[in-house]
Amino acid sequence: GELTMSESMEALMIALYMDQVPDAWAKKAWPSMLPLSGWIKNFSDRLFQIEEWLLNPEEIPKVTWISGLVNPTSFLTAICQVTAQKNQWELDRLVTFTRVTKFMSPDEVDAKPRDGAYITGLKLEGASWEDGSLQKSKPKEMYCEMPIIHVKAVTKEKANVGGMYGCPVYMTGARGKDYYWTAQLKTASPPARWTLAGVALLGET
């Protein structure tokens, strides 16, 4: 017999043929600009991280792939909440503060930090990272893979230090509404230089 194809079925068929994420899937998923093949691999990696975490849900992973979290803002908020409870501090006095480590791979990390968390999965756009600080982009290099970053909660007074660029972090290269956080990156140049250059950290490129 004949099979009547609805508009939604036809849209799904076209998306699969064109290697695009179907709209019906994208509406219930995280922000992404990946083609369908890359999106499925990304989904599988996200699921693996969650399954690993479920083995010991009371402990955060040694290194967290922050780009693989659907709501990374909640993870960052939790870092502040844990610190506030541990030190009996008021939550609204705390902000997240970042320090870029020398570790390039989670395999190089022996243990999780005493405070906060190690995160990975971010790329720098508009600049490069060398010798522990921001540098101008290298020729023909669009993105710079960032080392593992240590995120911890500090009081607002301690976070107000010089020689730092408040780098916006976005889920995807689309930027805009995909913003979720501001990281602190060391710089020998005035921070305005990187602001004008549109330097940002991206979770997906």
Side-chain angles (χ1 to χ4, degrees):
E2 295 183 359
L3 176 64
T4 302
M5 182 171 287
S6 65
E7 290 185 9
S8 59
M9 291 175 63
E10 184 176 4
L12 176 62
M13 180 191 70
I14 294 174
L16 295 177
Y17 180 78
M18 298 297 293
D19 194 26
Q20 297 173 347
V21 180
D23 290 339
W25 299 4
K27 289 178 181 178
K28 297 184 179 181
W30 56 92
S32 178
M33 299 173 64
L34 293 173
L36 180 60
S37 54
W39 187 88
I40 292 176
K41 173 65 168 59
N42 185 269
F43 177 52
S44 177
D45 292 342
R46 287 168 179 261
L47 184 60
F48 178 78
Q49 175 169 250
I50 293 174
E51 289 175 339
E52 287 285 297
W53 203 335
L54 284 174
L55 297 176
N56 191 3
E58 295 183 358
E59 296 287 337
I60 65 171
K62 187 172 60 175
V63 179
T64 302
W65 176 38
I66 195 166
S67 305
L69 301 178
V70 175
N71 189 356
T73 304
S74 295
F75 177 77
L76 297 167
T77 301
I79 291 176
C80 292
Q81 290 174 333
V82 170
T83 301
Q85 293 172 0
K86 180 180 178 181
N87 298 283
Q88 297 298 305
W89 292 343
E90 296 177 9
L91 183 60
D92 58 5
R93 290 183 54 211
L94 300 179
V95 294
T96 54
F97 193 79
T98 55
R99 178 183 65 85
V100 181
T101 72
K102 295 181 179 180
F103 306 128
M104 291 302 299
S105 167
D107 295 333
E108 300 175 29
V109 180
D110 296 326
K112 63 181 183 180
R114 185 175 59 182
D115 297 311
Y118 286 134
I119 63 170
T120 187
L122 296 176
K123 294 183 179 180
L124 189 64
E125 182 180 41
S128 64
W129 183 264
E130 290 185 69
D131 301 323
S133 67
L134 286 169
Q135 307 290 339
K136 67 178 182 179
S137 296
K138 294 180 180 179
K140 299 181 180 180
E141 181 184 72
M142 288 190 66
Y143 308 105
C144 173
E145 192 80 36
M146 287 296 290
I148 289 170
I149 298 174
H150 180 201
V151 184
K152 65 178 183 178
V154 300
T155 60
K156 294 178 181 179
E157 295 78 15
K158 289 186 177 180
N160 188 19
V161 297
M164 292 286 184
Y165 166 60
C167 185
V169 186
Y170 300 91
M171 291 186 180
T172 72
R175 301 196 179 198
K177 63 180 181 180
D178 291 342
Y179 166 85
Y180 67 92
W181 177 44
T182 297
Q184 296 78 28
L185 301 180
K186 283 188 178 180
T187 174
S189 302
R193 173 186 179 181
W194 310 117
T195 302
L196 292 173
V199 174
L201 287 169
L202 309 177
E204 178 189 292
T205 56

